[in-house]
Amino acid sequence: MAELRRELGLLEAVVYGVGLILGAGIYAILGEATGVTGGSIVLSFLLAALIASLTGLSYAELASLFPRAEGDYIYVREAFARDSLSDVTALGRLFMGVISSAAVALAFSGYLSSFVDVPSIPIAILLVAVTTGVNFWGIELSTKINILFTAIEVAGLAIIIWVGSAHWGSAELSHAPNGSLGVVHASFLIFFAYLGFGSIVNLSEETEDATTTIPRAILLSIGITTVLYVLVGLSAVALVDWQVLGQSASPLAEVARVGWGPLGATVLGAIALFSTTNTVLILQISTSRLMYGVSKSEYHVFPELFSRVHSSRQTPHFAIALVGVATLPFIFLDDIGVVAGLANLMLLVVFVLVNGALLKLRYARPDLERGFRAPLNVGQLSLTAVAGILSCLGLIVFYVLTW
């Protein structure tokens, strides 16, 4: 059977990770989160980063044990050897990928409509079709586009940091209109701006020396995006009143407008188009690689057809096509937010299973060769994995109670 082409080094893997995590989430979620917690949004970013890092460490160690495209599916399978758990993991990640692609494609249409009067659904469908084509053409082209668009995306955040840096001293970081509960609530919202780190592992079979490169990429991606997020949050509350941010549908454009004038708002709106396009592309890539990996495993919950690789492009063309087509129906939903919320809830369940897989493998198969080992251990017990399970369960309970 043909294999995927290994063309990604540490730099490319980190850029993919940063692109996955930054995504389009920060361009939309900042306003809602700030409206909940005010100036203490910086604390919420740090808390969300801590929670993401706990599960990220489990992904890093497991990726060094099983550097395969099916990612968390194989981790859960190897740890528990139960069809039901591994199937839930695979289906949960597939569901999350196509729903998120649809939601971000619609967001692209929304940003574009501020420049040109266009129908949202056809434009979203066209974007999915184009990114599916790029995904099929090959990982080399996808990587070049990803690097360029991620650079533009980071530049947008750098603009926010730049225009706000002179006003950082005026930010009231202790301001929490809803108290500690508001800080936690905002962290819950912001946490979903970090979720892309779990998809980095799906690139394992296209990465050189994946047992060490992928773990490093996960940790570096979380670290880089945390620094950007914290400085962006600081700049936002330093320039714009937290209540105004809370009511804004395009909070970063509002911050740019206040700090740089109408030109700033226009520039940030244009950058958001690159951000949303990049997010859809990366989601299509990581989700199709997950499907490819699961389909070629001996247990495949997905048919073996989707493990086939195109003879000349060396990409999993059937998996790519299915992910693209499966994304389209969700574009037609009127309330994509509800479905996306359920997808996020599913992914939190997956994170619980991944942390549990690490704990189980530490005791069941302690002699497996690891390219990375999560820190803070008591014997074979990973304290970060235990904390990861508890934090994800806490977010699940919080989500259910506040839904």
Side-chain angles (χ1 to χ4, degrees), residues 286-307:
S286 61
T287 307
S288 61
R289 273 30 170 207
L290 167 73
M291 192 162 203
Y292 157 82
V294 173
S295 300
K296 73 182 179 67
S297 72
E298 58 184 300
Y299 311 104
H300 42 252
V301 61
F302 302 134
E304 182 272 338
L305 170 70
F306 299 110
S307 68

Side-chain angles (χ1 to χ4, degrees), residues 91-109:
L91 292 171
R93 289 302 304 276
L94 174 64
F95 184 65
M96 176 67 184
V98 297
I99 287 291
S100 299
S101 292
V104 178
L106 286 169
F108 173 88
S109 298

Side-chain angles (χ1 to χ4, degrees), residues 324-402:
V325 171
T327 302
L328 300 182
F330 295 102
I331 291 177
F332 291 92
L333 293 178
D334 290 332
D335 195 350
I336 195 74
V338 171
V339 183
L342 292 173
N344 287 333
L345 186 61
M346 177 77 77
L347 196 56
L348 282 171
V349 173
V350 171
F351 285 173
V352 170
L353 292 173
V354 167
N355 284 301
L358 177 62
L359 294 174
K360 176 71 181 298
L361 288 168
R362 282 283 188 90
Y363 288 96
R365 302 169 69 178
D367 298 328
L368 285 173
E369 185 176 349
R370 289 166 166 80
F372 173 84
R373 186 178 178 87
L376 302 179
N377 304 290
V378 177
Q380 295 293 343
L381 180 66
S382 170
L383 298 181
T384 56
V386 172
I389 289 176
L390 294 176
S391 60
C392 288
L393 288 175
L395 286 177
I396 290 172
V397 171
F398 188 89
Y399 180 82
V400 171
L401 293 178
T402 57

Side-chain angles (χ1 to χ4, degrees), residues 105 121 126 153 159 164 190 197 206 213 223 236 254 261 285 292 343-344:
I121 290 179
L126 179 61
E153 197 172 329
I159 289 172
I190 292 168
F197 70 83
E206 291 165 286
T213 300
E254 177 65 21
I285 292 171
Y292 157 82
N344 287 333

Side-chain angles (χ1 to χ4, degrees), residues 33-48:
T34 305
V36 170
T37 194
S40 57
I41 187 68
V42 172
L43 298 178
S44 297
F45 271 117
L46 292 173
L47 180 57

Side-chain angles (χ1 to χ4, degrees), residues 50-228:
L50 174 61
I51 296 172
S53 298
L54 294 173
T55 299
L57 287 168
S58 293
Y59 269 99
E61 180 170 334
L62 290 166
S64 76
L65 285 170
F66 309 104
R68 292 164 59 176
E70 55 265 49
D72 26 29
Y73 170 84
I74 199 65
Y75 311 154
V76 174
R77 161 64 65 179
E78 292 288 339
F80 301 110
R82 293 184 61 182
D83 290 343
S84 58
L85 290 180
S86 54
D87 289 353
V88 164
T89 302
L91 292 171
R93 289 302 304 276
L94 174 64
F95 184 65
M96 176 67 184
V98 297
I99 287 291
S100 299
S101 292
V104 178
L106 286 169
F108 173 88
S109 298
Y111 284 117
L112 185 62
S113 65
S114 64
F115 294 96
V116 184
D117 186 15
V118 292
S120 61
I121 290 179
I123 290 298
I125 291 174
L126 179 61
L127 177 62
V128 171
V130 170
T131 53
T132 297
V134 173
N135 188 9
F136 163 74
W137 191 254
I139 194 66
E140 184 178 3
L141 175 61
S142 300
T143 300
K144 290 177 180 177
I145 292 175
N146 173 242
I147 290 174
L148 174 62
F149 282 21
T150 298
I152 294 172
E153 197 172 329
V154 172
L157 300 184
I159 289 172
I160 296 297
I161 294 169
W162 169 62
V163 299
S165 59
H167 304 271
W168 285 351
S170 62
E172 299 181 33
L173 302 185
S174 61
H175 174 245
N178 294 309
S180 57
L181 184 62
V183 174
V184 174
H185 188 182
S187 295
F188 167 78
L189 296 172
I190 292 168
F191 179 74
F192 297 113
Y194 280 97
L195 292 183
F197 70 83
S199 297
I200 300 174
V201 299
N202 301 128
L203 300 175
S204 292
E205 294 185 39
E206 291 165 286
T207 302
E208 300 171 356
D209 193 18
T211 56
T212 56
T213 300
I214 293 296
R216 291 174 183 171
I218 292 172
L219 301 181
L220 285 171
S221 298
I222 293 175
I224 291 169
T225 51
T226 296
V227 171
L228 289 172

Side-chain angles (χ1 to χ4, degrees), residues 210-290:
T211 56
T212 56
T213 300
I214 293 296
R216 291 174 183 171
I218 292 172
L219 301 181
L220 285 171
S221 298
I222 293 175
I224 291 169
T225 51
T226 296
V227 171
L228 289 172
Y229 281 168
V230 167
L231 294 180
V232 165
L234 179 60
S235 297
V237 295
L239 277 173
V240 183
D241 181 82
W242 65 277
Q243 292 175 311
V244 173
L245 284 173
Q247 296 297 317
S248 176
S250 52
L252 289 187
E254 177 65 21
V255 175
R257 185 191 65 78
V258 173
W260 191 10
L263 175 62
T266 301
V267 169
L268 260 293
I271 289 175
L273 293 175
F274 289 96
S275 173
T276 47
T277 300
N278 196 36
T279 302
V280 174
L281 174 61
I282 299 175
L283 284 168
Q284 293 282 309
I285 292 171
S286 61
T287 307
S288 61
R289 273 30 170 207
L290 167 73

